[in-house]
Amino acid sequence: DSISFPPGISFDDVSLQFQEIRAFKNLKVNELEKLWFNINKEVLPEWQTLRELLDIKKIESKLIKHLSGGENRSLIVYLTMLQNKKVTILDEPLAGMDRIKKDNLTSFLLAQKNKNKLYIVVSHEVKGMENIFSKILVVENKKLLEVENVDELIRSTIYGFTN
């Protein structure tokens, strides 16, 4: 299998969020953040807002290896989005976050909706994020299904209900 991009998009235009930060365990959050700013030429213009919404200041002096699951997730989502790529893939971005951070991130993504970027969100947690999606695609038994909205998804056989 392969991934093909439309004209004008290359692998360099894609930012992928991993489940956790496995490298840099002995760096402090603010040290890794500084490294990220040095690596990435054009960062997300709203990076300070996102930093505040995900409460990165609270953890900035912690070592990566001492972060909780939710703190690690907040940091990795922040660093992924900070890269300001044309395509951003977020894999279970809300996992481990408290309700406030989930709401903050969802609101932030909604505000990004019409900024000529593509956000692909892989999630089992659809409820509460329905406003940010322009399409919902479901992978079931190696088949790709498209549903119109969250209510249709919940009523579908995918969730064990039949019409």
Side-chain angles (χ1 to χ4, degrees):
D1 292 327
S2 65
I3 296 174
S4 57
F5 297 103
I9 302 288
S10 72
F11 186 75
D12 291 337
D13 296 319
V14 178
S15 177
L16 173 63
Q17 173 238 314
F18 294 96
Q19 291 293 317
E20 64 178 282
I21 299 172
R22 294 194 177 162
F24 311 111
K25 292 283 190 183
N26 291 315
L27 287 182
K28 291 181 180 178
V29 168
N30 58 2
E31 293 169 332
L32 181 56
E33 182 182 36
K34 185 177 180 180
L35 175 64
W36 230 246
F37 275 98
N38 288 330
I39 292 171
N40 295 285
K41 307 278 186 266
E42 294 182 35
V43 297
L44 183 72
E46 304 89 350
W47 70 269
Q48 290 173 309
T49 301
L50 183 61
R51 187 180 200 277
E52 186 176 309
L53 291 173
L54 295 178
D55 212 7
I56 301 301
K57 183 169 181 56
K58 181 179 174 185
I59 60 170
E60 67 185 1
S61 61
K62 279 187 164 183
L63 291 175
I64 303 296
K65 66 183 177 185
H66 293 146
L67 296 178
S68 70
E71 291 169 340
N72 195 302
R73 184 58 51 107
S74 294
L75 177 61
I76 195 68
V77 167
Y78 167 66
L79 294 175
T80 301
M81 294 181 69
L82 186 72
Q83 295 176 58
N84 197 31
K85 301 290 185 167
K86 291 179 184 177
V87 178
T88 300
I89 302 172
L90 300 172
D91 184 13
E92 297 289 350
L94 304 180
M97 287 187 188
D98 62 39
R99 173 60 34 212
I100 293 170
K101 285 182 187 174
K102 287 179 182 185
D103 291 346
N104 287 346
L105 180 58
T106 301
S107 296
F108 187 84
L109 287 170
L110 181 59
Q112 298 296 308
K113 195 168 182 175
N114 293 313
K115 296 197 176 179
N116 203 24
K117 295 186 186 294
L118 174 63
Y119 287 92
I120 299 171
V121 179
V122 179
S123 182
H124 291 90
E125 197 169 338
V126 178
K127 202 69 174 158
M129 295 193 334
E130 50 269 76
N131 293 337
I132 66 171
F133 301 128
S134 56
K135 286 191 179 193
I136 299 173
L137 303 174
V138 177
V139 178
E140 181 183 38
N141 295 326
K142 298 182 183 180
K143 291 182 182 174
L144 192 61
L145 310 169
E146 183 174 347
V147 293
E148 293 295 320
N149 58 49
V150 173
D151 291 333
E152 181 185 337
L153 175 64
I154 291 170
R155 286 192 313 269
S156 73
T157 57
I158 299 163
Y159 272 64
F161 299 104
T162 56
N163 294 333

